[in-house]
Amino acid sequence: MEPFLLRRRALAACTATVAVGVLALAGLTGSASADPAPRPTGPTAVSTDQLSPGLLKAMRRDLGLTAAEARGGIGHESRAAAVAAGLKRALGADFAGARVSGDDAALTVATTDAADATRIGRAGAKAVVVAHSRAELDTAKAALDRVALRKAPEGIPAWYVDVATNRVVVQAARASAADAFLAAADVPHALVTVRESREEPRTFTDLRGGDAYYMNGLGRCSIGFPVKRGSSQSGFVSAGHCGTPGVGTSGYDQQAQGSFQGSVFPGRDYSWVATNTNWTPRALVNGYGNGDVPVTGSTEALEGSSVCRPGSTTGWHCGTVQQRNTSVTYQEGTVSGVTRTNVCAEPGDSGGSFISGSQAQGITSGGSGNCTQGGTTYFQPVNPALQAYGLTLVTNGTPTDPPTDPTDPPTDPGGGWAAGTFCNAGDRVTYGGVAYRCLQAHSAMAGWEPPNVPALWERG
């Protein structure tokens, strides 16, 4: 099957389909939903005691995890992502990718230099020595992307960098289509694995994440995440294929809401809508009757991590991150830089939130299959959308910028704590006049201050 978008046309019946489309989440009015109480005081990327019942229920159904297992897994995955971020910077050009696996989210970090194995092991990760760096594979994939942006390749539903196999994977309906694609991009076969695929991805169209909104009678999508631009303008990010600049929107209740200010599709698949003052942005994703999910940041989850999404058609569904930086061919053209998952979706879910724990991951783009038989869904990472339009994500009622790469480790490990620094297990810092010892190697980030994350820091 070919990939397809998941936008739902207005007034269309919600019928079963083998194709999945774009998912969007509509914004809240001030009276649409009460804030969750209590809100978490620490970063739920690590402090997972207050995860949404709806998210936990979906993880039990789709991943077979108890609530305790889900909380533990999300905590492990968040800590692994922090360690991987520090190692990526430390290894530089040798870095070849990172992934997690197993119930405890065991971290594997790939490198092209065997001499890096000791450093990786000290950080608590398994080292794998491979032939190609992540930068080399990303360069090859970028060459394929440039060809696809000129003309969407026929018979090529998707392509991506696969960390586990250290190759660029090209999905193809037939070998001749893959050969032509590689030749046009001048990408050597030595870097590529061709996999036969009959996928037919499509987008999903139909200010709390997961709510529905409507586009001037043209269809329905779901809101991705509420955002701010500057100090006063509220809005939300969604899928680019849901609307073009100037198209008006109405909310889930059909009341006037706002209009698209920016939109990119194909190439990428993101947009942002500025809303009127009747709509209040919340740092929440719609729990669909099971408690709303708080959003505390946008730290990117690693390959292998659990990820969930709500949508205005199918509610909550979960799966895992399979490959980041994927390119996918829809009927409308090629979209690059999306993340491939095994989460299901259906038309009307387009534009909606993908979230890992409480960390915003991205905006539902499209896919194949459905939530009866299962399928593949792609999401547009949220941080590039925020950066493209100068937006800030609304988190716990306040906007925060997307995370940046960690800076160099502190020259004085015994000095003060600061966001962006890398700490090894055993390092000591001071924060608020109190001494702390690092329990697990990680890159510090806003919200992970030592008093807030006992899993990472110990007083004394």
Side-chain angles (χ1 to χ4, degrees), residues 15 32 46 121 134 159 184 214 266 268 270 314 335 338 347 366 407 432 457:
T15 57
V46 173
R134 183 64 192 247
W159 57 101
Y214 299 85
R268 296 291 189 267
Y270 53 67
T314 59
V335 174
V338 293
T407 57
W457 294 99

Side-chain angles (χ1 to χ4, degrees), residues 39-51 71 74-75 78 293-297 355-359 396 447-448 452-453:
R39 284 178 174 169
T41 56
T44 47
V46 173
S47 302
T48 58
D49 291 342
Q50 298 186 41
L51 291 177
R71 291 188 182 98
I74 290 171
S78 297
V293 178
V295 178
T296 64
I355 193 164
S356 182
S358 66
Q359 297 296 306
N396 282 348
W448 290 21
N452 293 337
V453 280

